[in-house]
Amino acid sequence: MANATCNKGVVSVKIWDPFLRVLHWWLAITLMAQFATGTIFFVWGDELSNAMMFGVNVPHFYIGYAFATALALRIVLLFVGPQASRWRDLLPLTPNQRRDWQKTFLYYITLFRRPCPPSLGHNAFAGPAYIVFFLIAAAQVAIGIFLSFMPGGTTQMNSPWMTVHEYLFFALIAFVVVHLAAVVAREINGRNNIASAMIHGYKEFTEAEYKELILNHDENNNPSFTAGDISHAHTDNG
């Protein structure tokens, strides 16, 4: 049974394990740092002295490897991690997942006037976007490593790969902006404490939502979540 506890009609379910939460914030912090150093290159690159360029390039290089490490570990979890972190939870593969994807899509395009189905793991519409993010981020890391081995100065800055690197830079910024906007919208218009769940690991549902989610996961033959009497659910604060 999923780690859950019911209090006054609100069911708190343990969804995100500690390692996944650490990777999430590791990726977020290093990505923000890369945005900061990358922006300096993009805006003032031609005006920086060699010493200043070196001073920005060094942290960009090492933070990039820190981001790449977290990204690699997160991609590994897509295949060997807990159920909520696997690729099958991100893609609309089953009829229930495709139904929830359509309902969530309508929720966004109608500016939150349609109901948004709750999800035990990732948001049904956001799941495929995360796969795209992993692909773009992996390509960005690969190009960044390639550029780091090129001669510096104009040779590196004028490389066509640098142009691709810049385009992917803006694509990642766009993803982050949309991601944050969607989270804020869900916090304002919905529930399930999406943002805080990535800190303590627990999402909240009504009893009706939880029972429906459990039944849907049983239909999908999900071994991590099994239907049961909520009143007998146990708490695990690990």
Side-chain angles (χ1 to χ4, degrees):
M1 183 182 295
N3 296 328
T5 182
C6 182
N7 182 24
K8 296 181 180 180
V10 177
V11 183
S12 296
V13 187
K14 181 68 172 292
I15 301 295
W16 311 120
D17 71 279
F19 185 56
L20 179 66
R21 301 199 306 271
V22 168
L23 285 181
H24 176 272
W25 294 112
W26 183 353
L27 284 168
I29 292 171
T30 53
L31 189 58
M32 292 303 102
Q34 287 297 81
F35 284 164
T37 54
T39 298
I40 294 174
F41 279 124
F42 183 77
V43 176
W44 297 288
D46 294 336
E47 302 174 11
L48 296 176
S49 65
N50 290 337
M52 294 177 66
M53 181 73 76
F54 179 80
V56 176
N57 191 48
V58 169
H60 189 78
F61 177 84
Y62 285 109
I63 295 170
Y65 274 103
F67 174 80
T69 301
L71 179 66
L73 291 173
R74 182 61 186 92
I75 291 175
V76 169
L77 287 186
L78 290 175
F79 302 95
V80 301
Q83 186 64 36
S85 66
R86 295 198 179 194
W87 63 273
R88 289 183 179 277
D89 185 66
L90 295 174
L91 297 176
L93 302 175
T94 68
N96 284 329
Q97 288 174 315
R98 289 191 288 271
R99 177 204 62 196
D100 287 347
W101 187 94
Q102 293 172 349
K103 289 182 177 180
T104 307
F105 177 69
L106 289 174
Y107 167 78
Y108 285 122
I109 66 171
T110 60
L111 298 179
F112 323 120
R113 288 190 288 270
R114 292 289 190 91
C116 184
S119 57
L120 275 173
H122 291 87
N123 177 300
F125 185 72
Y130 287 128
I131 295 294
V132 174
F133 168 79
F134 294 143
L135 293 173
I136 293 176
Q140 184 75 325
V141 166
I143 293 173
I145 292 174
F146 175 76
L147 288 170
S148 70
F149 286 101
M150 293 183 62
T154 57
T155 301
Q156 186 183 75
M157 296 302 293
N158 293 332
S159 169
W161 289 109
M162 181 61 75
T163 301
V164 177
H165 201 57
E166 291 175 354
Y167 282 129
L168 295 181
F169 170 82
F170 288 114
L172 291 175
I173 289 180
F175 172 87
V176 170
V177 170
V178 173
H179 174 65
L180 292 176
V183 169
V184 171
R186 285 293 289 138
E187 290 287 352
I188 294 174
N189 298 283
R191 45 185 178 271
N192 310 135
N193 61 306
I194 294 174
S196 60
M198 197 49 71
I199 298 174
H200 50 61
Y202 286 84
K203 292 178 71 174
E204 294 180 349
F205 306 94
T206 64
E207 291 190 29
E209 288 175 336
Y210 181 67
K211 288 178 179 179
E212 181 181 358
L213 285 168
I214 292 299
L215 290 175
N216 286 344
H217 275 267
D218 286 348
E219 291 174 8
N220 296 337
N221 296 316
N222 187 323
S224 298
F225 301 99
T226 56
D229 184 351
I230 294 175
S231 64
H232 291 91
H234 65 279
T235 303
D236 182 354
N237 294 319

